[in-house]
Amino acid sequence: MTALKRNLLDVFEIECREHLEAVRRILARAGEDARDGGALLPADLTEATRRVHSLKGAARAIGLEHVEAVSHRLESLFLRIGYNQGTLDGEVIQLVGDALDNIEDKVEAMYRGASPQAPASTPANPVPVDATAPGADRAAASQNGSVRVDAENLDRLLKSAGELHTDMLFQQVGAQEVTRLGREATAFEVRWSRVWKQIETGLKVSAAGAELARALGGGQIVSAELKGISRRLQHAARQQNSGARSFRHHLDDLERRVKGARMMPAESVFGSFRKMVRDIATSEGKEVEVVIDGLDCQADRLVLQRIKDPVMHMLRNAVSHGIESPQIRQQAGKPPRGMVALRIASGHDRLRLVIEDNGRGLDFKAIADEAARQGRMTPLDAEVASPEALSQLLFEPGFSTAESVTTISGRGVGLSVAREAVNGLQGKVEIGPRPGGGTRIEVSVPVSILSRRLLLVTFRDQIYALPSESVARAIRVPAERIVSIEGRPAVRLPDSTLPLVSLGEILKLADPRVAFGAAGVCVIVVRATGGPLGVAVDGFVGVNDFVVRNFDLGHADTRLCAGIIST
């Protein structure tokens, strides 16, 4: 393949993927409208026609005749529907989806240098930033004027910006201290004037005292010095506060721009998963409809890369363990084609991924039996265990209910590794039944992992930080609201009563007792797996963004400690 042809393919593949995803979104809306008794909006039909027409022209320009022919037929189909000569019902939607998959396979095969009649089996990852395909960076640069930047250098730049941000916070503390000293100097000058008047009155009782008072200049010398110190402190405080504000403004802008440069669309990592799922289904003799939503969501490059393998394994499990063969599905009264979905969304600095299928679902009896067989639970405990407790066993190393081991799954390793990866990002993963049948896994991780918003608290003269996304609220509770229920401390809030523990108990400190002040006790309501929990601390410091360094924490429990705040 010539360098020119490769460059053209680089550009075409990105354009092709955008057109295919746009048409797939329209098809998804059409399916929802059909189920609700509605019809596809004319604007959506026009957009679908425009997309396949553009794809046809781009394919013709690069010489992909098969893609051109399929795009032409899709264009004709959409035009007929637009002229009321056909309907976009469920069967047609499925056929169009198959045609889009066929186009994707052919482009994949051509991009990898294989024969168009034999699609390549290795998923592609064509989106730039860390792409290695020759010409990918030049093609991207020719379109939007961007340049290729080494990701490691970008990471270092953002980390430095984050550390400067932390330094700026301590500078603000220094500025506040200077302001406080200025106020104290002014107050001291006022107090000195009052005291001097009393001293002067006493000195004037005798001639010697009056002479001493005159020698001291009537106290004016000391007062003038104090006033000068006060003015200089106030001037220094104003300058430092002004500098701190300007520093923060420019640093926030730098941090925002560097973070923006690190952000990537989810498509850069998950864009090739649709084909991967189809290939796995084909190898196992299963029919699968693949739904992927939210590929345009932006997240930190490191976050996306670290959750790539966990999500990949969950999708493989959905096909291998979840979706039944067409024959078994038909016997159960289901359509022969199953559904596997990856839905991505972001909000409140969190990236949320949902992996679900409409297959056989979780077999809680089989999980309980396997837990008893492996000795993870007694037979009695396994029999009465809740679905939530049994579901969590699926994340334990070596636990699997698969009857056989394949190259795809069955060893009981993947989900445990997935949970470790998510926990390493200070995220969480939950698994359970999908409404309507099947299995649903939800993963929640931070959008960015270098700087995090933390709540600072004090306990035993030490400062600790808690991730703000885990904190529901922080309140001061009167002592009379601390009660004992079944021998355990609890806190009565206006809307609920929560179990109460001290931060010292959680960290297993030698003295876990909390200091009670005149205003009561400081309580943080945290979002825990088993429900809200009250955590008592000595005091609140504030909320701010910090860089968390992943230093070696020795023997610290990594489930409790994530790192050290950069100072």
Side-chain angles (χ1 to χ4, degrees), residues 19-35 39-41 44-45 47-49 51-52 74 77-78 81 87-101 274 289-291 293 337:
H19 291 319
L20 294 180
E21 288 303 324
V23 177
R24 282 174 174 138
R25 287 193 293 268
I26 292 170
L27 291 179
R29 288 196 294 270
E32 293 173 357
D33 292 339
R35 287 191 294 271
L40 183 66
L41 294 175
D44 279 345
L45 188 58
E47 176 66 7
T49 306
R51 289 283 184 173
V52 294
L74 287 174
L77 172 64
F78 290 145
I81 295 173
T87 58
L88 198 61
D89 55 21
E91 183 178 357
V92 173
I93 289 174
Q94 182 171 318
L95 289 173
V96 173
D98 290 342
L100 298 177
D101 293 345
R274 186 190 305 277
E289 174 191 359
V290 186
V291 178
D293 293 332
R337 174 177 287 200

Side-chain angles (χ1 to χ4, degrees), residues 11 14 18 127-129 135-149 265:
V11 178
I14 297 172
E18 291 176 352
V127 179
V129 175
D137 50 336
R138 292 193 300 272
S142 66
Q143 284 193 322
N144 55 24
S146 63
V147 294
R148 187 171 180 176
V149 179

Side-chain angles (χ1 to χ4, degrees), residues 362-364 367-368 377 385-396 399 415 419 429-433 439-440:
L362 298 175
D363 188 340
F364 291 111
I367 297 173
M377 288 183 175
S386 66
E388 291 78 12
L390 293 174
S391 297
Q392 289 303 310
L393 289 174
L394 297 173
F395 293 108
E396 295 296 323
F399 190 90
L415 282 181
R419 182 171 66 176
V429 55
E430 298 176 346
I431 186 171
T439 305
R440 183 179 189 274

